Amino acid sequence: MKHFQYLAILLLALSGTLFTGCEHNPGLNGFNWILGVWEVQNKDTTTFEIWEPVNDTLYEGFNFQVLHGDTTIKEHLWLQSAKGEIKFSAKVYGHNENRRVYFTLTHQNMNQARFENKNHDFPTMIQYTKSGVHYVKIKYRNEDVELPEVVMEKVDS
């Protein structure tokens, strides 16, 4: 019986389940509330943000505006679990030489996710807050400036 126990411990150690040397990527299930089509209507424009799952560790999104029937893509967005961290990244067209800017998850609960990048000029913090079933609030800020929250309504799952 002792030989069986030693063998079981050895197999667990070799498979990486006993020691934490294996990379663990947290899943994105806690972020399912962000999936779907969201919109906010302003005086002249309607802004949409669409999030879809690519797989268990990657969600992809787009932010675009419709003005007088013309559609302009503003941002390409990613929420990704890799190297044991969850990152939010955005490629804002016309800014940062159209390169992705990465933000690390610094706070999460069932209704909120905050991402930060202290090295970015603006924003250094992006926060998504679920407000009921049909609304999400998005906040952008740095040390000096905080924009008004954007409140988006869910129009499709």
Side-chain angles (χ1 to χ4, degrees):
M1 185 67 155
K2 283 189 176 192
H3 295 291
F4 178 74
Q5 289 173 337
Y6 292 127
L7 180 60
I9 291 171
L10 179 63
L11 288 174
L12 285 172
L14 290 175
S15 70
T17 57
L18 184 61
F19 300 111
T20 58
C22 291
E23 181 179 317
H24 172 70
N25 291 323
L28 296 177
N29 287 342
F31 297 90
N32 285 346
W33 52 269
I34 202 168
L35 299 174
V37 179
W38 303 87
E39 78 171 354
V40 60
Q41 293 185 4
N42 295 318
K43 183 181 177 186
D44 295 326
T45 63
T46 303
T47 301
F48 292 92
E49 191 160 299
I50 298 174
W51 283 95
E52 295 182 342
V54 175
N55 56 45
D56 290 346
T57 61
L58 177 64
Y59 291 173
E60 186 174 27
F62 289 92
N63 181 295
F64 60 94
Q65 288 184 338
V66 178
L67 172 64
H68 305 299
D70 292 327
T71 302
T72 304
I73 296 176
K74 296 292 191 177
E75 297 176 276
H76 190 172
L77 308 164
W78 296 267
L79 184 59
Q80 185 169 14
S81 175
K83 298 180 183 175
E85 293 183 310
I86 294 178
K87 300 259 186 186
F88 174 91
S89 60
K91 181 190 294 187
V92 181
Y93 296 102
H95 298 277
N96 303 307
E97 299 174 353
N98 293 332
R99 290 186 305 221
R100 284 168 76 169
V101 177
Y102 292 84
F103 298 82
T104 301
L105 179 68
T106 58
H107 170 77
Q108 178 190 12
N109 61 36
M110 289 176 49
N111 298 316
Q112 190 175 79
R114 182 181 315 128
F115 304 91
E116 297 185 52
N117 177 344
K118 301 282 186 189
N119 297 318
H120 188 54
D121 57 354
F122 187 86
T124 57
M125 188 275 300
I126 299 171
Q127 180 173 289
Y128 282 76
T129 303
K130 179 182 173 185
S131 179
V133 177
H134 301 288
Y135 295 94
V136 67
K137 298 176 183 177
I138 307 169
K139 185 186 293 188
Y140 305 93
R141 71 173 168 91
N142 67 8
E143 289 183 17
D144 301 323
V145 177
E146 182 170 334
L147 296 179
E149 279 186 326
V150 176
V151 179
M152 300 192 93
E153 183 176 4
K154 194 167 200 173
V155 293
D156 188 23
S157 297

